[in-house]
Amino acid sequence: MHTLLLPTEILLSEGEQPLPDAQAHHLVTVLRARLGDKLDLTDGKGHRRTAVVSQLAKRSAVVSFTSEVETVPPPPVELTLFQCIAKPARMDWLVEKAQELGVKRLVPIVSEYVQIKPKDSSIERWVRIAEAAITQCNSGYLMEIESACSWKEALSLFSQQPTLLADLREKSRTCTAAVHELSQPITKLGVIIGPEGDLSPTELEQTTMAGVIPVTLGSNILRVETAALYAISAISEALS
């Protein structure tokens, strides 16, 4: 069954609905759908519905709903990834995997050692990557991707929820141990992943002053995207 991401107003409508141009193109050209194919539809905001392809042309498609709207419960803990921006290919892969693993919010950060300064087109590309990933992983919620912020701006965000830091200096406290040390219940949690070259000494000191909790990701030094994947997975396991 194919999965499509649709605007909420279409997903909640009644009767046959023509698909927007982008979704119709994807369905016809990429997925090579046929009349009668079953579809799993989501708006990325917790609404899901099934449908079938009822009309099909070279550049257009119409769907007919086959179920009522279902509301998917959100994850019990909202995970925010504070990600210092990596090189484009690594960042793209990271965004895709963060969506697949159920990250609620991605905050790109321009820290001192970040080599790539993002443009508006970078954010737009990451959003498209997340939208494609949600149809792959069949999640009910699309990850929120915020505009890139400075390190100074990010510091004020860390205190809005308990926040962990992947810290090469920390040798013993794991993600699991850190999560279990937190006061329960947890509804929001953040994790900071530094850039290639890590955070600067000043930035590391500022995380301590902000109450951020350092954690180890093991004895190996990981690439940025590997560190993010490791941390998200370890935190998710600790929360389950």
Side-chain angles (χ1 to χ4, degrees):
M1 183 184 294
H2 302 308
T3 300
L4 285 182
L5 179 68
L6 290 181
T8 303
E9 59 269 22
I10 295 179
L11 193 69
L12 301 183
S13 300
E14 298 299 330
E16 289 189 325
Q17 293 294 321
L19 295 180
D21 291 345
Q23 284 84 348
H25 172 79
H26 183 73
L27 187 69
V28 174
T29 306
V30 179
L31 299 180
R32 300 184 182 277
R34 299 181 179 182
L35 282 175
D37 279 0
K38 296 179 180 179
L39 303 174
D40 188 6
L41 309 176
T42 180
D43 64 353
K45 299 177 181 178
H47 301 115
R48 297 178 70 171
R49 201 172 188 182
T50 57
V52 296
V53 180
S54 55
Q55 297 182 43
L56 204 58
K58 287 186 177 180
R59 292 184 175 86
S60 64
V62 176
V63 299
S64 179
F65 299 118
T66 57
S67 74
E68 298 299 320
V69 177
E70 173 191 1
T71 300
V72 181
V77 179
E78 296 181 0
L79 180 59
T80 296
L81 174 60
F82 295 103
Q83 179 64 56
C84 295
I85 298 169
K87 293 178 181 178
R90 293 178 182 174
M91 194 70 185
D92 290 353
W93 187 89
L94 188 158
V95 168
E96 179 183 68
K97 302 312 171 188
Q99 171 65 62
E100 292 178 7
L101 290 172
V103 171
K104 168 69 174 178
R105 181 174 62 136
L106 172 65
V107 180
I109 300 173
V110 182
S111 59
E112 184 175 344
Y113 296 159
V114 164
Q115 301 175 13
I116 305 296
K117 301 301 186 287
K119 303 176 182 179
D120 289 342
S121 58
S122 300
I123 306 296
E124 293 168 358
R125 184 177 74 254
W126 297 336
V127 170
R128 292 195 299 271
I129 290 171
E131 289 175 345
I134 195 175
T135 64
Q136 169 66 33
C137 65
N138 204 22
S139 168
Y141 291 87
L142 183 65
M143 180 172 61
E144 301 168 13
I145 302 179
E146 300 191 359
S147 298
C149 66
S150 67
W151 177 257
K152 182 178 179 180
E153 292 169 327
L155 279 172
S156 65
L157 302 177
F158 298 156
S159 61
Q160 295 181 2
Q161 65 285 300
T163 299
L164 313 183
L165 165 68
D167 192 339
L168 294 174
R169 303 170 302 173
E170 175 62 49
K171 301 302 181 185
S172 60
R173 184 193 283 119
T174 64
C175 291
T176 299
V179 169
H180 291 167
E181 289 171 7
L182 296 172
S183 299
Q184 303 292 331
I186 306 167
T187 59
K188 296 182 178 181
L189 187 62
V191 59
I192 306 166
I193 304 295
E196 294 141 338
D198 204 7
L199 298 175
S200 71
T202 298
E203 290 167 340
L204 289 169
E205 182 180 353
Q206 289 171 334
T207 62
T208 301
M209 296 173 62
V212 171
I213 305 166
V215 295
T216 179
L217 300 185
S219 59
N220 293 344
I221 298 176
L222 307 177
R223 291 186 183 274
V224 170
E225 67 276 25
T226 310
L229 187 63
Y230 182 112
I232 296 166
S233 300
I235 290 169
S236 299
E237 177 66 22
L239 291 170
S240 63

